[in-house]
Amino acid sequence: MNWKKKKEIRLSEMELLEIKRKDLAKVGWLAMNKTEKEQLRKLINFNWYKMPDYAKAKILKDDYIKFETQELSVKFAEKLKKK
């Protein structure tokens, strides 16, 4: 197999994994109750203000909030699956 085919296969696998992670994040977000969502928001805002200035310059706050919310929702959903 040449490198172009391998690259296409890797990209398609990565896209599938990203779709699965987004679905898992949706499940985690929907499974959280109101207080857990509020705690998540507070944690993300606290982490944003603790981040060094050079890192803040590379990412927008909205993008950071989206990314962290997705990551923490995935972790929450994985905990639910283990139970």
Side-chain angles (χ1 to χ4, degrees), residues 14-24:
M14 288 173 44
E15 287 174 2
L16 288 174
L17 288 174
E18 187 61 30
I19 291 170
K20 287 180 184 178
R21 285 186 60 77
K22 285 184 180 181
D23 292 340
L24 196 58

Side-chain angles (χ1 to χ4, degrees), residues 48 51 55-68:
W48 171 257
M51 191 185 315
K56 286 182 186 179
K58 294 187 180 224
I59 188 168
L60 296 174
K61 186 174 181 180
D62 293 337
D63 294 337
Y64 177 77
I65 289 172
K66 286 179 189 176
F67 177 76
E68 285 296 317

Side-chain angles (χ1 to χ4, degrees), residues 55-83:
K56 286 182 186 179
K58 294 187 180 224
I59 188 168
L60 296 174
K61 186 174 181 180
D62 293 337
D63 294 337
Y64 177 77
I65 289 172
K66 286 179 189 176
F67 177 76
E68 285 296 317
T69 303
Q70 182 180 6
E71 291 300 311
L72 294 172
S73 296
V74 167
K75 288 180 183 177
F76 187 80
E78 288 173 350
K79 284 183 188 176
L80 289 176
K81 281 189 172 183
K82 289 182 181 179
K83 290 183 181 179

Side-chain angles (χ1 to χ4, degrees), residues 11-68:
L11 288 176
S12 64
E13 289 173 353
M14 288 173 44
E15 287 174 2
L16 288 174
L17 288 174
E18 187 61 30
I19 291 170
K20 287 180 184 178
R21 285 186 60 77
K22 285 184 180 181
D23 292 340
L24 196 58
K26 286 179 188 177
V27 168
W29 181 256
L30 293 174
M32 286 185 207
N33 59 26
K34 187 176 180 180
T35 57
E36 290 170 333
K37 289 179 183 178
E38 192 61 35
Q39 288 174 350
L40 179 71
R41 287 188 187 104
K42 287 180 183 178
L43 175 69
I44 291 171
N45 279 332
F46 179 73
N47 289 340
W48 171 257
Y49 291 114
K50 278 180 50 179
M51 191 185 315
D53 289 336
Y54 67 87
K56 286 182 186 179
K58 294 187 180 224
I59 188 168
L60 296 174
K61 186 174 181 180
D62 293 337
D63 294 337
Y64 177 77
I65 289 172
K66 286 179 189 176
F67 177 76
E68 285 296 317

